[in-house]
Amino acid sequence: VTFAFLIIGGMIPFAFAALTMKSVGMAAMKMVEEVQRQFDEKPHLLDENPTERPDYDACIAISTQASLQEMVAPGAMVIFTPLLTGILFGVTAVSGLLVGALVASIQLAISMS
């Protein structure tokens, strides 16, 4: 049981990283669309001395909304995986899960930096 959850725990950091990168990509695309919309509506923003300022509040709202919506799934995965593992499979499964996640997280942190 411990070895099986060691392998499963090793997959969790990669799944978390993938969900996080997907969320950041979606939020960035929404931001690009907003900036493009502002440039389409106000083409003089590209002038050397623009008379009007961009709508910064819309970009901040997009960023805030995306961070609140998109990070629910990764956060829930990190919180509930050990809890459900402990309830359903016991302490030895949780120990394997946490050790696998820790070892994989160190490798992932080194390779992402």
Side-chain angles (χ1 to χ4, degrees):
V1 172
T2 306
F3 185 73
F5 279 92
L6 185 74
I7 294 171
I8 293 170
M11 291 185 269
I12 290 175
F14 293 95
F16 178 81
L19 287 172
T20 305
M21 286 187 267
K22 182 184 73 100
S23 298
V24 169
M26 290 171 56
M29 191 62 207
K30 290 178 187 174
M31 189 76 69
V32 167
E33 290 169 355
E34 173 61 24
V35 171
Q36 183 179 9
R37 182 195 64 79
Q38 288 186 26
F39 283 143
D40 289 343
E41 290 179 2
K42 304 172 188 176
H44 60 276
L45 286 175
L46 294 171
D47 294 342
E48 190 173 325
N49 294 318
T51 56
E52 224 178 318
R53 293 177 53 88
D55 185 13
Y56 296 115
D57 292 336
C59 292
I60 292 170
I62 288 171
S63 177
T64 304
Q65 189 68 22
S67 66
L68 291 174
Q69 284 179 346
E70 298 292 330
M71 291 307 292
V72 171
M77 180 184 70
V78 168
I79 291 171
F80 292 121
T81 302
L83 290 175
L84 291 174
T85 301
I87 291 168
L88 298 175
F89 299 101
V91 176
T92 57
V94 174
S95 63
L97 183 84
L98 294 177
V99 169
L102 182 64
V103 170
S105 295
I106 292 170
Q107 187 274 328
L108 192 62
I110 292 170
S111 67
M112 285 184 153
S113 64

